[in-house]
């Protein structure tokens, strides 16, 4: 009989034996993982029990965080061993994946975080992960739940292998819930398959045992509208109106979907139908229409932006729809993009007239625009005002990097170093990209000493910096010393007369005939 060796090292086995001896087999709580796109409009309705927002894409990327770094290190080591078994090439005589995993890792205590880490480390495993799923499901010490199934659906959805994701859903019927449904819908829509997403919603109760209600309809409509598939969403809502009557939330999502697609006529047509049908168009829908109008004006005729935006604002006042901070964020952002920073600042100072206060998006947009306009002092004042307003946490590492990139782009390297120092004072640890940006700009300005100091600082912070050959800009390169040409001295009058006499003498001598040599006669 062929003998299989475990990929675990002695240190791993000792850790596992210590765990089994103390009988501390427990499931680690898996935190919520979400990656949100920053849009101009955010809306959260109090009656919405579903954990998603209309204007942000919420999905679970493959990343995990824990408060115990030692436990994380041990977990990653074990997950690496399981991952190496998944990506190993199979022979014709070798056992199946579940059998091999059972022989090598039967002593493991499975947790959701361990499964997620294993999937993170196995991007090239492919269909082998199906065997891993079967092994996880067959383990008696571990109870399969909705969250774990969503991890596998996310994995196959990212690879666009929806046949394997369907197999996972079929095998876990009765366990799946809202998280699995959200993962499947999100991956189908992001892959550009709205028809399959609608078909999945229609058959999910019969095929997979998922609950088909108004909340799941809202999720599907929001995902379709976020990615520009408003036509599919509107058709589905109209077909299911007898079963799930739409509310104002669904109406706002549909209007925004047409605006995301850039079809203002369709959005206004749908808004008119809803208004005639007795629905009230909310501020979020008008914000989407306003943003669509501004984008179209920026594309076709930027000079008409303010007048067209004013028409939308007048219509909001006529319908009694109040402005909110997102309305001003839309206007300020679009004004800054057409370089009308002064108009954006005037609008910022008038926000209080409508009872609105700026948020972090307002401050960051204005700071970036002021720096791009080379209004450095006003940009620094806006940073201080943002911190005093309580939005200092929004100035994270990414926001500071964007500001440094703008300052380096307008050749304000000294001020970029000042903002860099402020970034470190605020407790934001610079990353490798930040150091690389500043070192490249300093070398381009022929300030090699400061660039070397930054390199040593990054190295002392534990960043994997590598020496690179940066180019010095020709404008800042040291020019080679050139020989100074002797200037002609101005001739005095005697020197000038002497030069003329010499020239006249040469001319006179050139006309003097030379005497011929006498020829001898031969007798």
């Amino acid at each position: 009989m062929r003998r299989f060796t475990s990929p675990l090292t002695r240190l791993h086995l000792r850790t596992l034996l210590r765990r089994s001896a103390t009988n501390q087999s427990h499931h680690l709580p898996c935190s919520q993982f979400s990656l949100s796109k920053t849009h101009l409009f955010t809306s959260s309705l109090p009656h919405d029990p579903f954990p998603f927002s209309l204007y942000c894409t919420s999905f679970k990327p493959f990343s995990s965080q824990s408060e115990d770094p030692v436990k994380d290190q041990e977990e990653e080591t074990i997950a690496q061993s399981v991952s190496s078994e998944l990506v190993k090439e199979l022979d014709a005589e070798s056992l199946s994946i579940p059998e091999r995993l059972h022989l090598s890792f039967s002593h493991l205590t499975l947790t959701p975080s361990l499964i997620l880490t294993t999937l993170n480390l196995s991007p090239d495993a492919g269909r082998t992960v199906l065997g891993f799923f079967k092994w996880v499901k067959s383990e008696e010490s571990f109870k399969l739940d909705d969250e774990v199934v969503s991890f596998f659906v996310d994995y196959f959805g990212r690879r666009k292998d929806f046949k394997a994701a369907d197999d996972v859903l079929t095998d876990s019927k009765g366990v799946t819930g809202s998280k699995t449904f959200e993962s499947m819908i999100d991956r189908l829509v992001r892959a550009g398959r709205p028809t399959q997403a609608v078909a999945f919603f229609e058959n999910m109760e019969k095929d997979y045992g998922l609950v088909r209600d108004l909340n799941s309809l809202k999720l599907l409509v929001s995902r379709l509208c976020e990615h520009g598939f408003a036509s599919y969403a509107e058709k589905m809502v109209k077909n299911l109106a007898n079963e799930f009557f739409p509310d104002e939330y669904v109406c706002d999502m549909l209007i925004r979907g047409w605006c995301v697609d850039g079809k203002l006529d369709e959005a206004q047509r749908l808004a008119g139908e809803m208004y005639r049908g007795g629905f009230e168009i909310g501020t979020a829908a008008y914000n989407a229409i306003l943003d669509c109008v501004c984008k179209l004006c920026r594309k076709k005729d930027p000079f008409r932006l303010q007048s067209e935006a004013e028409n939308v604002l007048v219509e909001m006042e006529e319908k009694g729809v109040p402005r909110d901070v997102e309305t001003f964020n839309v206007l300020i952002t679009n004004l800054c993009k057409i370089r009308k920073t002064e108009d954006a600042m005037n609008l910022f100072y008038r926000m209080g007239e409508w009872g609105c206060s700026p948020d972090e998006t307002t401050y960051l947009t204005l700071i970036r625009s002021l720096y791009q306009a080379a209004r450095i002092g006003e940009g620094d004042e806006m940073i201080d005002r943002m911190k005093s307003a309580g939005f200092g946490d929004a100035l994270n590492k990414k926001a500071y990097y964007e500001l440094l990139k703008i300052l380096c782009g307008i050749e304000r390297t000294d001020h970029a170093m000042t903002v860099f120092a402020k970034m470190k004072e605020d407790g934001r640890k610079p990353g490798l990209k930040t150091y690389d940006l500043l070192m490249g700009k300093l070398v381009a300005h022929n300030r090699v000493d400061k660039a070397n100091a930054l390199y040593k600082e990054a190295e002392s912070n534990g960043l994997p910096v590598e020496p690179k050959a940066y180019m010095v800009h020709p404008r800042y390169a040291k020019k080679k010393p050139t020989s100074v040409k002797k200037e002609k001295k101005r001739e005095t009058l005697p020197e000038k007369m002497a030069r003329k006499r010499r020239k006249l003498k040469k001319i006179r001598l050139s006309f003097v005939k030379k005497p011929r040599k006498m020829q001898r006669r031969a007798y």
Side-chain angles (χ1 to χ4, degrees), residues 73-184:
Q73 187 67 28
E74 293 178 358
E75 190 174 81
E76 186 174 355
T77 306
I78 298 171
Q80 185 67 48
S81 302
V82 180
S83 175
S84 62
E85 191 72 23
L86 292 177
V87 299
K88 192 182 295 183
E89 294 184 2
L90 297 177
D91 300 330
E93 300 178 357
S94 61
L95 298 174
S96 63
I97 294 295
E99 293 174 345
R100 288 166 54 192
L101 293 175
H102 183 72
L103 285 174
S104 303
F105 303 102
S106 59
H107 50 276
L108 282 184
T109 302
L110 290 175
T111 61
S113 57
L114 176 61
I115 295 171
L116 181 61
T117 308
T118 305
L119 293 175
N120 293 343
L121 299 173
S122 311
D124 301 325
R127 288 286 182 96
T128 313
V129 176
L130 279 176
F132 177 52
F133 172 73
K134 292 179 181 178
W135 175 66
V136 169
K137 184 182 177 184
S138 64
E139 286 295 305
E140 297 180 355
S141 59
F142 180 74
K143 185 179 179 181
L144 191 69
D145 58 358
D146 179 32
E147 187 179 25
V148 175
V149 176
S150 69
F151 293 159
F152 287 95
V153 172
D154 266 331
Y155 178 86
F156 289 115
R158 179 169 291 186
R159 296 174 55 88
K160 297 184 180 180
D161 190 356
F162 294 105
K163 178 64 174 66
D166 182 78
D167 294 340
V168 171
L169 289 171
T170 305
D171 291 344
S172 55
K173 190 173 182 180
V175 180
T176 53
S178 60
K179 291 183 179 180
T180 305
F181 172 74
E182 184 178 357
S183 299
M184 190 65 177

Side-chain angles (χ1 to χ4, degrees), residues 30 39 44 75 120 135 196 208 241 244 253-254 323 365 372 382 393-395 402 426:
C30 187
H39 290 283
S44 58
E75 190 174 81
N120 293 343
W135 175 66
Q196 294 186 22
Y208 310 109
F244 305 111
M253 284 191 287
L254 292 175
R323 302 183 191 182
T365 304
Q372 284 174 344
M382 192 62 68
D393 294 338
L395 281 168
E402 292 177 357
D426 292 344

Side-chain angles (χ1 to χ4, degrees), residues 417 420 435 438-439 442 450-458:
M417 295 300 296
F420 180 68
Y435 280 106
L438 293 174
M439 287 189 294
L442 286 171
K450 287 193 174 183
N452 288 334
L454 279 181
Y455 180 85
K456 293 178 181 178
E457 180 182 330

Side-chain angles (χ1 to χ4, degrees), residues 48 50-54 58 182 215 218-219 222-223 249 253:
D48 182 19
F50 222 62
F52 65 89
S53 175
L54 167 60
S58 173
E182 184 178 357
N215 289 331
K218 287 181 180 180
L219 175 64
S222 66
R223 293 295 184 269
Y249 185 63
M253 284 191 287

